[in-house]
Amino acid sequence: MRYQNEAGQIIYYNLVEKHGKVRWVIQAASGQTITGRDRQKLKSRTFALEHQADAWLERNGYKANKYT
């Protein structure tokens, strides 16, 4: 699913299976970075639980794009 914040940055939020377990991945669009746990710049973040990923999206101001 595609999400966008007020600054126009786009990320993709997907459910994946990683090492036999269900995970939620947030991935930055090309040329962008997202913040990690210790404020490092990353291309993607993986969450074990859906509510963790949802909280990260809300904390960083991302909303679902209605055209995806």
Side-chain angles (χ1 to χ4, degrees), residues 2-60:
R2 184 175 160 169
Y3 281 71
Q4 185 172 359
N5 65 5
E6 290 184 13
Q9 296 174 320
I10 296 172
I11 61 166
Y12 295 96
Y13 175 54
N14 296 306
L15 175 67
V16 298
E17 185 174 331
K18 190 172 183 178
H19 304 291
K21 299 177 184 173
V22 174
R23 299 290 185 228
W24 287 264
V25 176
I26 295 174
Q27 186 171 7
S30 65
Q32 296 179 10
T33 59
I34 56 176
T35 55
R37 286 182 62 172
D38 298 322
R39 300 309 231 183
Q40 69 271 40
K41 294 180 179 178
L42 302 172
K43 291 287 181 188
S44 68
R45 287 216 40 201
T46 303
F47 295 92
L49 301 172
E50 185 177 16
H51 72 86
Q52 295 170 328
D54 290 339
W56 187 92
L57 290 168
E58 187 175 330
R59 207 170 38 247
N60 289 286

